[in-house]
Amino acid sequence: MLTVESLAKSYESTAGSPRRSLARRLGGRGSGAQEDPAAPQARVFAVDGIDFEVHDGELFTLLGPSGCGKTTTLRSVAGLERPTAGRVRLGERVLFDADKGVNLRANRRGFGMVFQSYAIWPHMSVFKNVSFPLDVMPRIKRPDRREIEERVQQALEVIELGGYASRPATKLSGGQQQRLALARALVTRPELMLLDEPLSNLDAKLRESMRFELKRLQRELSLTAVYVTHDQSEALVMSNRIAVMNEGRIEQIGKPREIYTRPATRFVAEFIGTSNFIEADVLEVQGNDVVVETSQGRLVAANCPRKPAPGEKVLLSIRPESVDVSEKPHTDGTNTWSGKVRNRAFLGDAIDHITEVGDLKVRSRSNPSVSLAPGTEVHLAIAPEKVALVPVD
Ligand SMILES: Nc1ncnc2c1ncn2[C@@H]1O[C@H](COP(=O)(O)OP(=O)(O)OP(=O)(O)O)[C@@H](O)[C@H]1O
Ligand SMILES: [Mg+2]
């Protein structure tokens, strides 16, 4: 539905910019920018040549740390930012094309938006804030009064403000106002919704419940959305697919499970969840299985989507919950190690142990009933399909 190709956005850099690493020399990536040859590092790429497609009915998330270019990407799609290079299409409709000089105005793109700095209409009630986008629709498109009321009520229920319809919008807390902005975007059921951290101002508990509600509504109404967040668990819960961004580029696009279990780069593995990283050399490839040599002996990685060559150096990414720790030896000898517990940390719903295996420190996560004191001799086992290979940076 939405296609973004080679999108780049650069800004004039100011001296001492903390993002100097993004400064590109003349002729570097993100081409298309009119650079000044006298000042080869004068521009900083907030978005540095990214491509992605959002399918019909999909919630597609841009996930990445602060400053990686998520908002800039979203604003470029919305038409609020003029990209330096690239193309943006909605189906066959060209919204932006840097080469052809096409740049459709934001209000002609017809998207529903919630931005990081949301705005509510202070002189209107909660109900009116939400119904307004419907009230101002041209007569032939406008739903009848009853439907408007139903839709507004439904949107207010989703954001858990069902009982607040008649309250003046200014008499809401910051988090409530943010939810109101979200309801206002939901109510028009636009072709595409652009949501920039729409739950960021809410407390942990409300955020959690709204993730599910928002996801349910999006699925029920088959809404298509580009969702921006820096919160990995939010992205995992809500998304059909996730694009992980780092310094203006996309490192990986995939379903939540793929991103989590098969991170394509070290950055992705580190940004999402916790991982053990272990250096290894590839010994042999047997079908989809890869046998590697670590400092503590051989391990097998099963179902690898990428086939490395024998002799290649790789990084193994192993999630703590994929490491089974036990005082008894494991019966199946594949991917087993012995070591000594060095540390343990109680996390409430889980317990982590750090076990020393030769020169490696391996973190495992278990049910809190498995509590092993530091110094205990233990056995570790890692299921081969839980070992992901990541290219060495
Ligand atoms: N108008 C501007 N002028 C100069 N630099 C800018 C401008 N807007 C954004 N940037 C820079 O571009 C980079 C990307 O910013 P962006 O707002 O897209 O990040 P983000 O991923 O949305 O971060 P956050 O999670 O903190 O909202 C940042 O380094 C930012 O400082
Ligand atoms: Mg942002």
Side-chain angles (χ1 to χ4, degrees):
M1 172 196 236
L2 177 77
T3 312
V4 172
E5 290 171 339
S6 311
L7 188 79
K9 172 73 187 172
S10 64
Y11 293 108
E12 294 289 336
S13 100
T14 43
S17 157
R19 300 199 73 202
R20 207 178 277 144
S21 63
L22 274 195
R24 303 272 176 251
R25 282 178 213 291
L26 185 66
R29 285 165 46 97
S31 55
Q34 310 240 310
E35 312 243 14
D36 176 5
Q41 294 216 340
R43 298 192 77 82
V44 170
F45 278 89
V47 176
D48 196 6
I50 63 170
D51 299 87
F52 62 90
E53 239 179 273
V54 182
H55 308 143
D56 261 344
E58 177 176 54
L59 192 140
F60 184 89
T61 297
L62 301 174
L63 171 69
S66 184
C68 73
K70 305 179 297 292
T71 296
T72 309
T73 305
L74 205 68
R75 287 176 58 86
S76 299
V77 171
L80 297 168
E81 205 75 69
R82 193 189 175 100
T84 319
R87 283 165 297 287
V88 180
R89 282 190 286 118
L90 190 71
E92 293 306 305
R93 234 166 108 221
V94 179
L95 307 180
F96 177 80
D97 188 325
D99 299 331
K100 297 196 175 123
V102 179
N103 187 20
L104 202 67
R105 287 225 307 271
N107 58 6
R108 303 209 25 221
R109 297 191 185 191
F111 300 157
M113 302 176 219
V114 177
F115 284 103
Q116 239 173 330
S117 50
Y118 50 91
I120 48 130
W121 291 301
H123 54 288
M124 291 181 193
S125 68
V126 167
F127 183 95
K128 201 73 192 151
N129 256 279
V130 180
S131 74
F132 189 73
L134 298 175
D135 297 336
V136 298
M137 276 185 170
R139 191 178 286 274
I140 53 166
K141 282 203 199 155
R142 194 192 316 151
D144 64 33
R145 201 65 247 161
R146 249 202 38 227
E147 191 180 341
I148 292 186
E149 273 178 26
E150 271 172 24
R151 281 212 222 169
V152 172
Q153 205 50 43
Q154 184 193 32
L156 290 178
E157 299 295 339
V158 167
I159 60 155
E160 298 185 24
L161 286 182
Y164 288 67
S166 56
R167 190 183 277 208
T170 43
K171 300 211 166 124
L172 293 178
S173 73
Q176 289 168 336
Q177 291 184 11
Q178 185 178 35
R179 283 139 68 191
L180 188 55
L182 181 58
R184 205 169 49 192
L186 286 172
V187 80
T188 56
R189 297 180 192 166
E191 227 177 328
L192 181 67
M193 294 220 299
L194 304 175
L195 307 172
D196 194 351
E197 312 255 8
L199 309 179
S200 61
N201 283 352
L202 311 181
D203 64 72
K205 196 154 183 144
L206 188 56
R207 194 156 60 207
E208 178 95 336
S209 77
M210 285 205 41
R211 283 175 191 163
F212 283 100
E213 283 303 301
L214 191 55
K215 179 67 195 162
R216 187 179 57 77
L217 187 78
Q218 178 265 331
R219 199 186 297 124
E220 269 175 28
L221 301 178
S222 292
L223 297 172
T224 311
V226 184
Y227 191 95
V228 163
T229 181
H230 62 262
D231 182 326
Q232 40 130 342
S233 33
E234 190 160 301
L236 293 174
V237 169
M238 298 202 53
S239 320
N240 295 95
R241 285 186 309 142
I242 300 173
V244 183
M245 290 186 74
N246 180 27
E247 299 203 329
R249 301 193 195 159
I250 291 178
E251 298 246 342
Q252 185 175 7
I253 297 181
K255 295 186 177 138
R257 191 176 286 275
E258 281 164 13
I259 299 265
Y260 191 80
T261 58
R262 293 276 172 256
T265 64
R266 181 175 185 138
F267 174 83
V268 174
E270 275 180 341
F271 189 71
I272 300 185
T274 15
S275 230
N276 292 290
F277 293 105
I278 298 169
E279 288 176 7
D281 293 306
V282 175
L283 288 177
E284 52 179 325
V285 180
Q286 303 165 340
N288 287 334
D289 296 355
V290 179
V291 183
V292 299
E293 183 78 42
T294 70
S295 68
Q296 302 306 312
R298 290 185 178 199
L299 285 184
V300 179
N303 307 330
C304 298
R306 194 180 70 90
K307 308 276 174 302
E312 198 180 311
K313 289 204 176 308
V314 289
L315 208 57
L316 310 179
S317 163
I318 303 168
R319 301 288 184 191
E321 66 271 25
S322 307
V323 181
D324 186 74
V325 61
S326 156
E327 281 185 277
K328 294 198 200 92
H330 296 84
T331 43
D332 175 7
T334 317
N335 290 2
T336 53
W337 278 333
S338 309
K340 196 181 267 189
V341 173
R342 185 190 156 98
N343 240 326
R344 70 180 154 181
F346 178 63
L347 306 173
D349 54 355
I351 190 159
D352 278 11
H353 292 94
I354 311 264
T355 302
E356 259 173 357
V357 180
D359 64 333
L360 302 177
K361 292 188 182 56
V362 182
R363 180 187 282 258
S364 56
R365 185 159 297 170
S366 334
N367 185 290
S369 60
V370 185
S371 187
L372 302 159
T376 313
E377 302 279 349
V378 291
H379 301 272
L380 305 179
I382 305 154
E385 62 278 6
K386 297 290 170 60
V387 180
L389 300 189
V390 176
V392 177
D393 294 335

